[in-house]
Amino acid sequence: MSDIQRNILITGGAGFIGSHLVRRFVKRYPHYIINNLDNLTYAGNLENLRDIETASNYRFIKGDITDAAFINQLFEKHRFDAVIHLAAESHVDRSIVSPMDFIFTNIVGTVNLLNAAKTLWQPGKTEHATSEINHLFYQVSTDEVYGSLDHGGYFTETTPYDPRSPYSASKASADHLVRAYGHTYGLPVVVSNCSNNYGAYQFPEKLIPLAINNIRSNKAVPIYGKGENIRDWLWVEDHVAAIDLVFHNGKRGDTYNIGGFNERTNIDLIMQLCSIMDEKLGRPAGSSAKLLTYVKDRAGHDLRYAIDSSRITNELGWKPSLTFEEGLAKTVDWYLANEEWLQHVTSGDYQHYYEQQYHKR
Ligand code: NAD
Ligand code: TYD
């Protein structure tokens, strides 16, 4: 492991994947300064980072990536030498209702960060940054940019983009801009596109935590359409391990697909979850499944996502550490053991944590 000092900006670090990444980097790389920039939207929760918030190599910065002046000042002040960009509006259903939020955060916000990095890292301004060799703008993206598959085939790094929801279109647009800044201005960039994540600290609007939370409290679990849509699931800690590898060893200018070869129809996944929940909650077999409720399908619902992640495995040696069964059981255990976290999220109390913890200092 390298002991080079680095000053890294992680955006969206109070969110689901971002908080796992921040935790991993703060613990694993004590010689790096980890700056977590997050605007604390409904999806940002500083309670996700309670265990590392006082670490000496961690700094939280509350701020909005859509505010160009603020972002430029921030880069001038802190002189980051690398950016790992996760801040985004991330929920497809919300993008159908409010696409503009996705345009501003996911596209305009990304361009603001690209411009600030380009200005800071331009040749002749190196006194503002550490060694040029460390400069990297890492765009964390999704497999949804590739569109929807029928029942055969996989997304590879060369699959043409064909986004079909406002969310995936905004991420695709941001990915194109990242690559365009790499090509046009020579900005050192890398992009990874990952499949659906699940695990601890995921906001309970996404399928798996929503279903766990609803089953726990005996509420209906909505299944869109016939439940036949297929997603490819990856445990979040395996995703952040992949990001770590790509960040340190990925080829500049390249793209890496990340996925666990874990395709499931939504209905199969939820049925599996129901039997785990029955067992863990000590309820009679079949009780959770009674909560499944078929509802109107999502508009434009993509049928199938499936990632071919052989490149990152062959070139960087990454592979998932858990099977889907293991990851799902671990995830259920985490939600059942962290009632307080779930209760704060569902009541909205988590939104006061920043004032309570940071303003008293
Ligand atoms: P999330 O919604 O849990 O977290 C997003 C974070 O970004 C939140 O903390 C939020 O407060 C912050 N944020 C939003 N708007 C902001 C703004 N204008 N300024 C500053 N911060 C802002 O998302 P996630 O599921 O953790 O996803 C993180 C990234 O990974 C996203 O870019 C997403 O597209 C990508 N991704 C997610 C998945 C998945 O399955 N969740 C899969 C592949 C890729
Ligand atoms: P989601 O977790 O929103 O992730 P994404 O849309 O980014 O893949 O949804 C996963 C799948 O589950 C998707 O096919 C939509 C479906 N779904 C339901 O059937 N019911 C729900 O309540 C939710 C949130 C999603």
Side-chain angles (χ1 to χ4, degrees):
M1 198 187 305
S2 131
D3 57 3
I4 302 169
Q5 304 217 332
R6 304 194 67 168
N7 184 20
I8 300 171
L9 176 67
I10 296 181
T11 69
F16 165 49
I17 302 170
S19 62
H20 286 275
L21 185 69
V22 165
R23 178 178 299 97
R24 181 181 175 98
F25 271 49
V26 164
K27 288 191 169 175
R28 210 174 148 94
Y29 305 110
H31 48 291
Y32 291 180
I33 297 168
I34 303 302
N35 304 274
N36 170 14
L37 170 65
D38 199 298
N39 198 25
L40 302 181
T41 68
Y42 80 94
N45 182 353
L46 286 175
E47 293 189 32
N48 296 357
L49 291 165
R50 258 185 154 140
D51 54 330
I52 56 99
E53 70 187 7
T54 57
S56 57
N57 63 334
Y58 171 70
R59 180 191 290 135
F60 175 67
I61 303 162
K62 186 173 187 303
D64 188 343
I65 60 168
T66 67
D67 181 344
F70 163 75
I71 291 295
N72 291 337
Q73 281 163 16
L74 193 73
F75 274 65
E76 270 294 317
K77 181 172 173 199
H78 293 293
R79 299 169 187 189
F80 309 117
D81 58 62
V83 176
I84 311 181
H85 177 37
L86 293 93
E89 288 293 339
S90 69
H91 191 39
V92 174
D93 292 327
R94 286 179 191 256
S95 83
I96 294 167
V97 179
S98 314
M100 282 313 275
D101 296 340
F102 288 69
I103 305 310
F104 285 123
T105 292
N106 299 1
I107 306 177
V108 177
T110 302
V111 176
N112 286 339
L113 293 164
L114 287 167
N115 283 334
K118 171 174 156 288
T119 304
L120 182 66
W121 300 340
Q122 68 192 316
K125 242 199 156 194
T126 41
E127 74 279 7
H128 281 258
T130 54
S131 162
E132 274 181 29
I133 225 137
N134 283 335
H135 296 166
L136 180 64
F137 191 103
Y138 184 159
Q139 163 79 350
V140 175
S141 192
T142 165
D143 62 354
E144 303 191 25
V145 296
Y146 296 121
S148 180
L149 292 165
D150 285 329
H151 286 284
Y154 292 92
F155 298 134
T156 71
E157 286 81 358
T158 56
T159 302
Y161 274 28
D162 181 24
R164 295 148 47 101
S165 74
Y167 164 65
S168 55
S170 67
K171 289 296 290 187
S173 181
D175 294 4
H176 285 319
L177 285 156
V178 169
R179 295 192 180 102
Y181 272 62
H183 184 76
T184 308
Y185 306 111
L187 197 74
V189 300
V190 73
V191 179
S192 60
N193 297 86
C194 187
S195 62
N196 284 60
N197 285 215
Y198 68 96
Y201 301 110
Q202 188 169 28
F203 196 82
E205 63 180 355
K206 304 274 169 69
L207 181 65
I208 291 180
L210 178 120
I212 295 174
N213 189 34
N214 286 14
I215 292 170
R216 197 180 130 268
S217 36
N218 273 309
K219 288 205 304 218
V221 177
I223 306 290
Y224 298 168
K226 294 182 179 157
E228 286 168 358
N229 302 67
I230 294 171
R231 296 292 180 265
D232 181 359
W233 295 94
L234 183 68
W235 188 45
V236 62
E237 294 196 31
D238 283 327
H239 183 194
V240 303
I243 294 175
D244 188 341
L245 265 181
V246 171
F247 179 75
H248 288 101
N249 304 327
K251 213 165 127 225
R252 296 337 187 211
D254 270 2
T255 298
Y256 296 87
N257 277 357
I258 307 169
F261 289 105
N262 274 313
E263 289 180 58
R264 296 285 184 285
T265 61
N266 292 336
I267 191 66
D268 285 352
L269 184 158
I270 294 298
M271 288 307 286
Q272 190 176 355
L273 190 63
C274 284
S275 49
I276 298 175
M277 292 292 284
D278 285 344
E279 195 191 313
K280 304 257 184 207
L281 294 170
R283 294 179 183 170
S287 16
S288 299
K290 289 191 185 134
L291 298 167
L292 302 197
T293 309
Y294 289 89
V295 299
K296 188 168 172 284
D297 207 355
R298 172 186 280 172
H301 198 171
D302 286 341
L303 175 66
R304 173 174 170 254
Y305 304 142
I307 275 268
D308 177 349
S309 56
S310 42
R311 175 166 191 212
I312 188 174
T313 300
N314 295 338
E315 293 183 17
L316 303 182
W318 174 85
K319 58 179 186 343
S321 67
L322 293 187
T323 64
F324 187 59
E325 286 63 35
E326 290 165 339
L328 201 55
K330 222 174 152 79
T331 302
V332 171
D333 285 341
W334 187 87
Y335 280 92
L336 296 181
N338 286 275
E339 288 227 356
E340 193 190 36
W341 181 91
L342 204 48
Q343 197 267 326
H344 285 183
V345 169
T346 46
S347 68
D349 278 357
Y350 73 105
Q351 289 178 313
H352 308 301
Y353 190 78
Y354 173 69
E355 282 74 26
Q356 286 159 4
Q357 290 305 111
Y358 284 79
H359 283 190
K360 72 179 187 202
R361 286 183 189 157

